């Protein structure tokens, strides 16, 4: 028998707006007590966990809550959700992005109850002494796996712990890192002491997740496409031979790894630092190799149309004033020009396009599905796919706000309108670049198709979180046979498996540590319990699903408190 669903009532929350979910209250209860990393499977409402902590913190400690998210669309989405869910006046929940003038931000920060912002803006305001974090009583880092290196999260966290009178940090991510060391680095950089991990294997989460069928399908490239690639590879081999003569590489294999290329660049930079003229020549050759590698990647894994567009931009760049020698040399090479002619004359269909259309026909036609998302790394491919698919399906693109190569982008307003239309069922297929991977509240879909494998665990997990929420869904990965697609696929699988193992190990270690530290103290889940004592907490609206994962430890202290509020099955 399913758990009875009731609402959550709190002075700062709209009555019964949030459903009562046990695992979310458990996570919020842990996060209110210490600086906490919350790991929760994608699509299960980690934003709700932060909202619960924020409501309780503002009610009990006062001050201001600051919520940081890495992109403008995410910031806007979170703001809309907070305004819907909270009783705080809308004008006291403010948005800070680069679109708001610095002087305007400084004027409203002190009066706001909740500030939702991109981290770069807050970093700039802190450096410019326009704002103070002293009265911020809750700081949320969304997609906190980004808190490495010189990313703005790191500086903001350091300032927050130093400046705030009564700090509390909540970090949230569905995929905090590829191994324990990465996760520890994120925690250290954010000043986090407590890690709460909840996986889909946990009983409280299991009832809200569904099977996601992941399969991969190989496609074979036609001879005409392989001929374009082979012509480009000949040029890459020639350029690598020149770099080999400089002593910065031992290989002329055009399929060398990105790591090899990075090592080459490091050696060339050291030569330049020592004022060796060969270093400058080599760096220009290296830049040419990188451009050629991009072209081969496009023709192998994307489409001939995308490489055509890429070559056109390279031609324009080579003709412009101040053009790099690498661009000019590449465009002038006879073999490159041959590849460009072959691309221009190719009038066939890339097999991935055909397979994508078949998958959509099966999902939306035969199986009577309602929505599908097709992800691709290339904006050119996204645009070409929309043109190709719109004769068979109601399809729209979803891309970022522009790029340095001049491809048309979408404004923040256009992105919001496009997502809302997709949620409303105004069209059935969303063709998206990586902008929709991370956290955006994309509605439940029947199919997520990877136009190409993603060689990072984080991005792959984010994408797969778009399906399997309310019902069974499937993920399909398209791979071009005997190309870097296959290498990326296996890299991604290995990293995801490693991450799952690390999170499982982290969960076990966290449970042991918390059991010994808390000593079985009483939990305080009652702060958000509904009127009939049911536990849990997630919005009934569709505004709660943000791409993150988090996990809650099932220690004795938490379980003891839960028994007072558990709903009967």
């Amino acid at each position: 028998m399913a758990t009875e669903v009731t609402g959550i009532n709190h002075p700062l929350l709209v009555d019964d707006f949030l459903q009562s979910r046990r695992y979310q209250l458990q996570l919020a209860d842990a996060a209110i007590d210490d600086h906490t990393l919350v790991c929760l499977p994608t699509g299960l409402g980690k934003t709700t966990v932060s909202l619960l902590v924020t409501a309780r913190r503002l009610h009990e400690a006062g001050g201001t809550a600051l919520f940081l998210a890495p992109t403008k669309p995410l910031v806007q989405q979170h703001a809309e959700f907070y305004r819907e869910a909270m009783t705080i006046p809308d004008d006291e929940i403010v948005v800070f992005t680069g679109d708001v003038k610095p002087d305007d931000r400084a004027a409203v920060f002190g009066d706001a109850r909740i500030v939702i912002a991109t981290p770069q803006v807050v970093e700039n305001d802190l450096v410019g002494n326009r704002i103070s974090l002293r009265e911020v009583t809750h700081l949320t880092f969304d997609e906190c796996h980004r808190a490495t290196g010189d990313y703005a999260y790191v500086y903001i966290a350091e300032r927050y712990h130093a400046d705030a009178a009564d700090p509390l940090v909540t970090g949230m991510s569905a995929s905090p890192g590829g191994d324990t060391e990465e996760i520890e680095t994120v925690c250290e950089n954010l000043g986090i002491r407590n890690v709460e991990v909840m996986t889909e294997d946990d009983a409280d989460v299991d009832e809200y997740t569904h099977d996601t069928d992941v399969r991969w399908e190989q496609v074979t490239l036609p001879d005409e496409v392989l001929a374009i690639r082979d012509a480009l590879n000949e040029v890459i081999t020639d350029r690598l031979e020149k770099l080999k003569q400089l002593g910065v590489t031992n290989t002329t294999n055009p399929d060398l790894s990105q790591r090899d290329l990075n090592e080459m660049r490091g050696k060339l930079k050291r030569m330049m630092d020592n004022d060796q003229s060969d270093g400058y020549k080599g760096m220009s050759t290296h830049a040419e190799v990188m451009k050629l590698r991009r072209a081969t990647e496009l023709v192998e894994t994307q489409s001939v149309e995308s490489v055509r567009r890429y070559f056109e931009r390279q031609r324009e760049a080579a003709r412009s004033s101040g053009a790099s020698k690498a661009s000019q040399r590449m465009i002038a090479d006879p073999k490159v020009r041959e590849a460009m002619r072959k691309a221009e004359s190719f009038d066939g269909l890339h097999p991935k396009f055909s397979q994508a259309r078949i998958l959509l026909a099966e999902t939306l036609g035969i199986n009577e599905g309602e929505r599908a998302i097709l992800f691709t790394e290339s904006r050119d491919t996204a645009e070409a796919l929309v043109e190709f698919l719109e004769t068979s399906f109601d399809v729209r693109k979803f891309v970022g706000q522009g790029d340095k190569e001049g491809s048309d982008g979408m404004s923040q307003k256009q992105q919001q309108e496009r997502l809302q239309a997709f949620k409303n069922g105004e069209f059935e297929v969303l063709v998206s670049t990586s902008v929709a991977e991370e956290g955006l509240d994309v509605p439940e879909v029947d199919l997520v198709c990877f136009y190409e494998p993603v060689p990072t665990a984080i991005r792959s997990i984010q994408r797969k979180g778009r399906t399997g929420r309310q019902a069974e869904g499937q993920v399909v990965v398209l791979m071009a046979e005997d190309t870097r697609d296959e290498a990326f696929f296996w890299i991604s699988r290995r990293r995801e498996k490693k991450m799952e193992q690390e999170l499982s190990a982290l969960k076990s270690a966290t449970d042991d540590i918390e059991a010994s530290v808390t000593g079985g103290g009483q939990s305080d889940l009652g702060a958000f319990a509904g009127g009939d004592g049911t536990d849990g907490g997630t919005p009934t609206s569709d505004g709660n699903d943000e791409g993150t994962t988090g996990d809650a430890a099932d220690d004795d202290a938490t379980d003891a408190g839960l028994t007072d509020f558990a709903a009967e099955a």
Side-chain angles (χ1 to χ4, degrees):
M1 183 175 175
T3 301
E4 181 183 359
V5 176
T6 60
I8 295 175
N9 298 315
H10 184 274
L12 294 184
L13 297 177
V14 174
D15 287 349
D16 298 327
F17 179 77
L18 303 178
Q19 287 182 359
S20 175
R21 288 188 181 180
R22 177 187 179 98
Y23 68 88
Q24 288 182 330
L25 284 183
Q26 185 176 342
L27 291 169
D29 186 59
I32 196 71
D33 290 332
D34 205 347
H35 307 303
T36 300
L37 168 62
V38 173
C39 300
L40 181 67
T42 297
L44 290 171
K46 50 88 177 174
T47 303
T48 298
V49 176
S50 176
L51 176 72
L52 296 176
V53 178
T54 291
R56 186 163 156 190
R57 188 73 165 149
L58 291 179
H59 183 64
E60 297 174 359
T64 302
L66 176 58
F67 188 115
L68 300 177
T71 66
K72 291 179 181 178
L74 269 176
V75 165
Q76 192 62 43
Q77 180 175 293
H78 290 314
E80 291 173 359
F81 173 51
Y82 269 57
R83 287 167 180 160
E84 283 186 81
M86 304 195 78
T87 58
I88 293 174
D90 286 358
D91 60 359
E92 294 182 21
I93 301 176
V94 301
V95 169
F96 273 27
T97 68
D99 295 333
V100 182
K101 294 180 181 179
D103 290 343
D104 293 339
R105 296 196 301 264
V108 301
F109 188 89
D111 296 329
R113 296 286 300 281
I114 299 175
V115 177
I116 303 176
T118 51
Q120 293 80 10
V121 165
V122 172
E123 181 181 41
N124 290 338
D125 285 349
L126 286 172
V127 171
N129 291 319
R130 286 185 288 269
I131 64 173
S132 168
L133 300 179
R134 178 173 175 76
E135 301 303 322
V136 173
T137 53
H138 185 217
L139 174 50
T140 300
F141 293 94
D142 191 27
E143 311 298 351
C144 69
H145 52 264
R146 290 171 173 251
T148 60
D150 59 358
Y151 191 70
Y153 278 179
V154 180
Y155 173 75
I156 295 169
E158 181 181 355
R159 284 290 302 268
Y160 181 56
H161 287 287
D163 299 350
D166 186 14
L168 180 66
V169 168
T170 302
M172 302 188 299
S173 178
S175 39
D179 55 36
T180 302
E181 185 176 351
E182 289 181 20
I183 296 169
E184 289 176 350
T185 297
V186 168
C187 291
E188 290 171 2
N189 288 342
L190 297 181
I192 285 172
R193 297 185 295 229
N194 180 44
V195 178
E196 294 292 325
V197 181
M198 190 167 283
T199 71
E200 293 185 1
D201 293 332
D202 289 302
D204 293 336
V205 178
D206 182 64
E207 65 178 294
Y208 298 102
T209 61
H210 303 272
D211 292 336
T212 300
D213 172 29
V214 182
R215 74 177 193 268
W216 58 98
E217 295 190 3
Q218 283 189 324
V219 299
T220 302
L221 297 180
D223 291 340
E224 298 94 324
V225 175
L226 294 176
I228 299 171
R229 180 196 65 182
D230 293 344
L232 294 172
N233 277 342
E234 284 187 45
V235 186
I236 294 176
T237 298
D238 175 76
R239 302 304 188 262
L240 289 174
E241 180 61 42
K242 293 179 179 178
L243 291 171
K244 185 177 180 181
Q245 292 173 7
L246 294 179
V248 296
T249 183
N250 293 320
T251 182
T252 59
N253 184 345
D255 292 329
L256 78 171
S257 69
Q258 185 61 46
R259 181 181 299 174
D260 292 333
L261 286 165
N262 292 342
E263 289 178 358
M264 265 188 262
R265 182 178 178 82
K267 293 176 182 177
L268 289 166
K269 189 175 185 306
R270 287 192 289 273
M271 292 172 68
M272 292 169 61
D273 291 341
N274 292 327
D275 291 329
Q276 294 178 253
S277 59
D278 284 346
Y280 294 93
K281 295 177 183 177
M283 193 64 82
S284 179
T285 302
H286 183 276
E288 195 177 354
V289 170
M290 295 294 289
K291 292 177 182 294
L292 290 163
R293 289 257 302 176
R294 177 58 178 162
T296 59
E297 179 182 346
L298 289 173
V299 77
E300 278 189 343
T301 70
Q302 299 294 313
S303 66
V304 176
E305 174 62 23
S306 65
V307 82
R308 269 200 297 257
R309 297 186 186 193
Y310 178 76
F311 278 142
E312 182 57 38
R313 287 197 293 272
Q314 293 302 316
R315 260 197 301 253
E316 292 175 3
R319 293 170 186 156
S320 65
S321 60
S324 69
K325 291 182 179 179
S327 293
Q328 294 174 339
R329 197 165 51 245
M330 181 183 74
I331 293 300
D333 189 280
K335 279 291 181 182
V336 173
R337 298 179 75 84
E338 176 190 340
M340 292 166 69
R341 285 193 298 272
K342 289 179 182 293
E344 291 292 343
S345 63
F346 179 74
D347 59 359
L349 193 62
H350 195 284
K352 285 189 178 182
F353 276 53
S354 304
Q355 192 60 33
R357 182 167 59 185
I358 291 171
L359 289 168
L360 290 172
E362 291 175 347
T363 301
L364 303 175
I366 298 173
N367 297 328
E368 299 182 340
E370 296 181 357
R371 297 185 188 91
I373 297 179
L374 180 55
F375 279 114
T376 175
E377 294 290 281
S378 165
R379 183 176 296 178
D380 285 336
T381 300
E383 293 168 350
L385 278 167
V386 169
E387 293 174 8
F388 170 67
L389 294 171
E390 63 186 0
T391 59
S392 305
F393 307 97
D394 195 354
V395 58
R396 305 285 189 279
K397 73 175 182 179
F398 189 79
V399 299
Q401 298 188 46
D403 64 15
K404 61 184 179 182
E405 294 181 330
S407 181
D408 292 337
M410 296 175 66
S411 68
Q412 183 179 346
K413 181 180 179 182
Q414 288 173 324
Q415 289 175 343
Q416 293 166 4
E417 291 174 347
R418 184 63 47 84
L419 276 183
Q420 190 59 51
F422 190 46
K423 293 177 188 177
N424 294 343
E426 296 177 22
F427 62 95
E428 55 192 349
V429 180
L430 187 71
V431 178
S432 176
T433 55
S434 59
V435 70
E437 290 172 20
E438 197 168 47
L440 281 178
D441 184 22
V442 178
E444 178 68 22
V445 294
D446 303 287
L447 168 70
V448 171
C449 180
F450 287 40
Y451 189 82
E452 66 285 302
V454 184
T456 66
I458 289 174
R459 294 177 67 189
S460 184
I461 288 172
Q462 296 286 6
R463 287 182 174 182
K464 287 191 289 189
R466 303 300 102 206
T467 186
R469 294 180 186 173
Q470 309 298 331
E472 291 189 3
Q474 63 173 335
V475 173
V476 177
V477 183
L478 300 182
M479 293 190 298
E481 188 177 10
D482 295 327
T483 70
R484 69 196 66 201
D485 268 356
E486 290 189 338
F488 282 2
F489 172 75
W490 292 111
I491 290 171
S492 179
R493 278 184 59 119
R494 185 174 67 248
R495 288 180 178 172
E496 285 185 56
K497 185 175 181 180
K498 184 177 181 181
M499 180 179 287
E500 291 171 2
Q501 293 170 341
E502 292 288 350
L503 282 177
S504 178
L506 179 64
K507 181 177 177 67
S508 298
T510 302
D511 291 346
D512 293 340
I513 292 170
E514 290 183 349
S516 64
V517 172
T518 61
Q522 181 69 24
S523 177
D524 188 24
L525 290 172
F528 293 109
D532 65 352
T534 311
D535 54 273
T538 205
T540 55
S541 77
D542 57 3
N544 70 319
D545 288 331
E546 303 294 334
T548 51
T549 63
D551 35 295
D554 298 325
D555 58 304
D556 293 339
T558 305
D559 286 343
L562 283 168
T563 57
D564 295 331
F565 304 102
E568 296 299 324

